[in-house]
Amino acid sequence: MKADILLGLQWGDEGKGKIVDVLTPAYDLVARFQGGPNAGHTLEFDGRKHVLRSIPSGVFADGGVKVNIIGNGVVLDPVLFAEEARALEDEGLDLHARLHISTKANLILPTHRLLDAAGERAKGASKIGTTGKGIGPTYTDKVSRHGLRVGDILLPDFEQRYHRLRDEHLERLAAMGAKVDVEAFEKLQTAWLDAVKYLATFPIDETEYLVNDALNADKSILCEGAQGTMLDVDFGSYPFVTSSNTISAGACTGLGLAPGRIGKVYGIFKAYCTRVGSGPFPTELMDETGAEMRRIGHEYGAVTGRERRCGWLDLVALRYAVMIDGATDLIMMKSDVLDDFDTIKVCTEYILPDGTRTDRFPFSAGDNAEGPGDIVPVYKEFKGWKTPLTEVRSFDALPQEFKDYVAYIESVVGVPVKIISVGPDRTATIMR
Ligand code: GDP
Ligand code: IMO
Ligand code: MG
């Protein structure tokens, strides 16, 4: 058996949570491999809506998936984890029976969040617009070999280790001129240490063995990405990125899977583009059309509630993402959001500041903090389908104009669109 990966091809929020939930019945294990509570994955079924941040989107499967894994590549905030896990257990979900956490996942400390905020303040106008969850500082500690890991919470001297790292962080915060309110901090710390005790009640395992043993026993695995390829720390629009490898290779390092063990790579994208936080966005629409996409698509962050920036589908960026990820199957989301548009545009090329045209994602696309900046997108126009798609359940029943749009994307990207999503609910999904 091979492990399949599902990941975002754009700037996150493509609809990963919904599709993992849809695909879950076909898998024995679902595993998160990177990111942390910066993610917000929305699932809707039976008239209910759930937003998952650290917990894999396979936990709701009825009798289907037995094992959900938080892999070594993930960064975990015990407080946010406890909040999320307790809410699910209050609803009657036996999470302790279906969740395993890697000993090697790094812990987000309260001071990591303070460092995240202080770092953003120090950057001023050129801030990244992070989710404020301490993601960057936690991965920084991991790479600089300072971090605390989930397995450490079982050690007798865990609290001493915690205090050592906390004190280092407090010194760094003081050097950055950040004021720490002692009383408020004490409260955060107490809550964190309590949450660590709760975390310790879950199965904490060498999950690299769990996933490899599962494949050897012919069990199937779906690896669930967080964020999106254009937010990857290496290949995204650096420095306006997250701090992990969001690309398919991240599933190998984030779970302990060798490259040869990877099967399908599902690349998921919206029928248009969105981005939250700062950073270049070549097809961003600053006008009424962008506002309409935001209104119809409810484009507000699932974690922070921030407005998501909106624009037309960017095939230069999409093709780049498909190449880096080796996507084998595409999934197009939120098709219904474009139902009312007379004309639909897709960007096929960029015109660079020196006048050259290119269909390759340029290094310089990382320089500007907002909007298209110096890049001029070249668009191809399509006639809108002007038909509500949300009730459609078969590919054949989709309007011809929509099929033309899909066929064009496939011809440019070179990978088939296998699933089309026409609404937030589990059932609003067309398999091809
Ligand atoms: P994720 O982070 O990739 O899991 O995506 P988010 O949950 O942050 O954002 C996707 C949003 O779009 C959620 O509010 C979903 O409920 C919603 N959604 C997913 N698929 C569709 C769809 O096909 N149509 C519409 N209208 N909404 C969708
Ligand atoms: P899901 O998994 C969209 C963005 C932030 C910011 C940048 C860095 O729901 O798709 P960070 O807090 O990671 O240091 O922020 O990355 N970002 C996301 N944008 N969806 C996400 O996750 C994101 N996680 C981080 O807005 O621009
Ligand atoms: Mg999201």
Side-chain angles (χ1 to χ4, degrees), residues 32 82 104 106 123 172 177 186 225 239 249 254 281 284 346 387:
R32 276 278 306 266
K104 299 182 176 69
N106 275 66
K123 278 183 188 280
R172 225 188 299 160
E186 288 288 335
F281 182 174
E284 180 167 12
V346 280
T387 316

Side-chain angles (χ1 to χ4, degrees), residues 71-223:
N72 57 279
V74 172
V75 289
L76 197 63
D77 182 330
V79 173
L80 295 179
F81 169 79
E83 219 173 77
E84 194 179 332
R86 285 199 166 110
L88 294 175
E89 297 213 299
D90 285 349
E91 283 187 37
L93 205 74
D94 187 2
L95 205 59
H96 278 81
R98 22 178 105 182
L99 185 67
H100 295 254
I101 304 168
S102 169
T103 50
K104 299 182 176 69
N106 275 66
L107 291 171
I108 302 175
L109 273 57
T111 39
H112 281 131
R113 288 177 73 161
L114 299 178
L115 284 164
D116 192 355
E120 286 283 87
R121 263 198 308 277
K123 278 183 188 280
S126 58
K127 70 173 187 207
I128 295 164
T130 72
T131 58
K133 300 289 184 273
I135 304 297
T138 306
Y139 278 115
T140 301
D141 274 351
K142 170 182 175 173
V143 173
S144 67
R145 298 155 296 179
H146 276 71
L148 283 176
R149 307 199 288 180
V150 170
D152 294 335
I153 69 180
L154 306 173
L155 299 175
D157 65 342
F158 173 70
E159 287 213 12
Q160 279 149 277
R161 290 172 187 241
Y162 163 73
H163 286 130
R164 239 187 344 257
L165 186 55
R166 178 207 60 187
D167 290 345
E168 241 177 73
H169 289 164
L170 290 174
E171 271 173 41
R172 225 188 299 160
L173 283 162
M176 289 170 92
K179 294 245 179 316
V180 178
D181 177 333
V182 177
E183 217 169 290
F185 182 73
E186 288 288 335
K187 273 196 193 139
L188 288 178
Q189 182 168 272
T190 308
W192 191 83
L193 289 167
D194 279 351
V196 162
K197 291 201 181 92
Y198 174 70
L199 179 62
T201 65
F202 280 85
I204 293 172
D205 291 310
E206 266 130 20
T207 51
E208 57 275 33
Y209 280 111
L210 276 185
V211 291
N212 283 288
D213 289 350
L215 292 179
N216 293 340
D218 261 354
K219 296 221 185 303
S220 53
I221 302 181
L222 181 62
C223 310

Side-chain angles (χ1 to χ4, degrees), residues 327-387:
T328 58
D329 299 64
L330 297 183
I331 303 176
M332 186 161 112
M333 306 300 289
K334 302 193 94 158
S335 314
D336 54 302
V337 173
L338 300 183
D339 285 352
D340 291 332
F341 290 77
D342 294 321
T343 305
I344 288 161
K345 297 186 189 183
V346 280
C347 166
T348 55
E349 276 184 303
Y350 297 154
I351 301 174
L352 301 180
D354 67 359
T356 49
R357 289 166 86 104
T358 184
D359 61 0
R360 294 188 164 222
F361 197 76
F363 179 70
S364 61
D367 288 352
N368 53 301
E370 264 191 0
D374 289 340
I375 287 177
V376 180
V378 179
Y379 289 111
K380 181 174 167 67
E381 295 193 2
F382 284 81
K383 196 164 162 287
W385 42 91
K386 308 282 280 180
T387 316

